Amino acid sequence: NGYDQTKSLVVRTELKSPDGTTVWSDEKNGSVADRKVESVVQKTTVPKPHLWNGLKDPFLYELKSTVLLDGKPVDSVTQRVGIRNFQIDSAKGAFLNGRHYPVYGMCRHEDRAGRGRALTYADHDADMKIIREMGARGLRLAHYPHSKYFLDLCDREGLLIWSEVPIVDRITDSDAFTENARQQLTEMIRQNVNRPSIICWGLWNELMHEPSPDPVALIKGMHELAAQEDPSRPTVGAANWASQKAPGLREVAGLTAWNKYLGWYGGEAEEMGGFLKKM
């Protein structure tokens, strides 16, 4: 409330299907003291929802929340949302809406030669076309939050997404580094928590213990922050040979992934098959 006196408000929220049919709506009255911020919680159960079902059926509802003052709308937010359930079982693999759903995919960096990260919508569309032609079901968006436009594409196309913050290779032990890392994680989650495509929050990539400070305390705090902001999704870290040497690091996040560079930095690409069979 930016006014100098208490205001009585109404928060109206509507969930609509693509054809415009209202699936659920609710209004909640509340008052906000001058120069204060208040939260409004509205809960519902959607009977027989049309599920967001990956590549097969990436069904999206429209969710709109409007704030009314004296009966007139003064602010609103509209999001596309999907209703789905995703789980990972250490022995059986990934499950989408209760069905086994192997997640095959790749890492994507958001850049172009000569333009860096200043991508056009056409660039994003071209990337998505290549990704779909390859038959991918999922993507790791490395090593930083990617654009809203591309995440919208992922929601609409039905890809499963690993979204992460840019904690890569080394950290510092300064309070400023920790505060910045936590702010980036908080903003990434709050901006994207309603996206059905995102299945996990990435906390780190190939962190070293030496000569960098021990990263375990920082990552543990990040993991706890993510669980507080969004208890519905696991956290994940990406390990390589260097991060294996950081005692306890691999046990902090909910999931650990392995970066293997066979045929890239060393070895042969054909060796990847043997590694994958072990997994």
Side-chain angles (χ1 to χ4, degrees):
N1 178 10
Y3 292 93
D4 293 324
Q5 68 262 16
T6 298
K7 291 290 184 179
S8 296
L9 304 167
V10 175
V11 177
R12 176 190 298 153
T13 301
E14 298 173 291
L15 184 69
K16 294 185 177 183
S17 58
D19 64 4
T21 302
T22 300
V23 177
W24 166 78
S25 64
D26 182 58
E27 289 190 358
K28 200 160 193 175
N29 299 317
S31 62
V32 187
D34 57 293
R35 308 295 172 179
K36 299 295 183 181
V37 175
E38 299 288 346
S39 296
V40 173
V41 177
Q42 294 166 291
K43 295 184 178 181
T44 185
T45 298
V46 180
K48 298 180 180 180
H50 189 145
L51 298 180
W52 185 92
N53 202 25
L55 298 180
K56 182 179 179 181
D57 185 13
F59 186 89
L60 294 171
Y61 290 96
E62 180 182 273
L63 183 67
K64 182 177 182 179
S65 291
T66 304
V67 178
L68 299 101
L69 176 63
D70 298 328
K72 298 179 181 180
V74 292
D75 197 8
S76 67
V77 174
T78 301
Q79 294 182 325
R80 300 285 183 181
V81 300
I83 299 174
R84 58 101 177 114
N85 176 270
F86 183 82
Q87 294 176 311
I88 295 179
D89 184 283
S90 60
K92 299 178 182 179
F95 290 80
L96 179 62
N97 299 325
R99 295 188 176 185
H100 189 230
Y101 197 87
V103 186
Y104 304 110
M106 67 210 71
C107 290
R108 178 200 187 235
H109 275 285
E110 194 167 84
D111 56 17
R112 278 290 190 284
R115 286 205 295 275
R117 290 198 67 189
L119 270 60
T120 65
Y121 290 163
D123 292 330
H124 291 296
D125 292 337
D127 279 1
M128 180 58 73
K129 182 179 179 181
I130 293 171
I131 290 163
R132 290 303 310 275
E133 287 176 350
M134 292 177 68
R137 290 182 167 196
L139 288 175
R140 178 186 177 196
L141 302 184
H143 298 299
Y144 37 80
H146 287 216
S147 73
K148 178 183 182 298
Y149 181 83
F150 190 78
L151 285 168
D152 287 343
L153 288 180
C154 294
D155 287 337
R156 295 203 302 265
E157 294 290 334
L159 292 172
L160 299 180
I161 300 302
W162 160 348
S163 181
E164 68 184 49
V165 291
I167 299 181
V168 183
D169 295 344
R170 295 175 176 85
I171 70 166
T172 76
D173 55 6
S174 71
D175 292 339
F177 187 97
T178 298
E179 181 181 351
N180 183 278
R182 291 175 64 87
Q183 178 181 345
Q184 290 197 54
L185 178 63
T186 300
E187 291 181 359
M188 179 177 70
I189 294 175
R190 291 185 182 181
Q191 290 169 13
N192 299 295
V193 69
N194 288 333
R195 294 188 178 278
S197 59
I198 295 179
I199 57 173
C200 58
W201 304 115
L203 302 183
W204 57 274
N205 176 73
E206 300 185 355
L207 283 178
M208 303 179 187
H209 184 199
E210 296 176 349
S212 174
D214 188 343
V216 172
L218 170 68
I219 300 305
K220 183 178 180 182
M222 298 277 283
H223 169 75
E224 292 171 351
L225 175 61
Q228 176 182 328
E229 288 287 332
D230 177 21
S232 72
R233 292 179 177 89
T235 58
V236 61
N240 70 340
W241 65 271
S243 50
Q244 293 181 45
K245 300 179 181 180
L249 179 60
R250 286 174 290 149
E251 286 74 31
V252 174
L255 303 170
T256 299
W258 294 99
N259 291 345
K260 304 295 287 186
Y261 297 102
L262 299 170
W264 186 267
Y265 293 136
E268 301 295 334
E270 289 76 13
E271 299 174 51
M272 186 65 75
F275 170 77
L276 293 175
K277 288 181 179 179
K278 296 176 184 178
M279 303 300 287

